[in-house]
Amino acid sequence: MATCLLYTQTQNRRSRFYRIELALNLFSEVSVLREWGFAGSNGQCTINNYENLREASLAADRHRNRMLKRGYARS
């Protein structure tokens, strides 16, 4: 599952992106991959591991909802 969010402001500023993805890793854990940055750039990323899908899904939902409140929109 992957969610991509975009944030656009005035013409003077570049658009930003925020991406969240859930993935099963080799150690039977669920990873939450988050990437963010300016559109057209590599950006930054972080990976957090969780014991089960429920915990990972709740964490991903928290991050997604926080970004939606900040003005990002689903793409």
Side-chain angles (χ1 to χ4, degrees):
M1 177 193 105
T3 301
C4 296
L5 305 173
L6 294 175
Y7 182 78
T8 53
Q9 287 185 330
T10 62
Q11 295 176 354
N12 298 337
R13 302 187 88 177
R14 294 173 30 190
S15 297
R16 293 183 282 178
F17 71 92
Y18 193 86
R19 183 172 171 266
I20 305 167
E21 181 178 349
L22 291 175
L24 188 64
N25 65 20
L26 295 174
F27 304 108
S28 297
E29 297 175 327
V30 182
S31 299
V32 177
L33 169 71
R34 296 185 293 142
E35 294 180 274
W36 63 92
F38 290 105
S41 69
N42 290 337
Q44 299 177 358
C45 101
T46 185
I47 299 173
N48 295 0
N49 296 316
Y50 295 90
E51 293 289 325
N52 57 47
L53 180 60
R54 182 182 184 107
E55 292 176 14
S57 179
L58 290 173
D61 288 343
R62 278 195 309 271
H63 292 299
R64 186 193 67 229
N65 291 337
R66 187 179 78 221
M67 288 310 183
L68 289 171
K69 287 181 183 177
R70 289 184 179 182
Y72 284 75
R74 292 181 184 192
S75 63

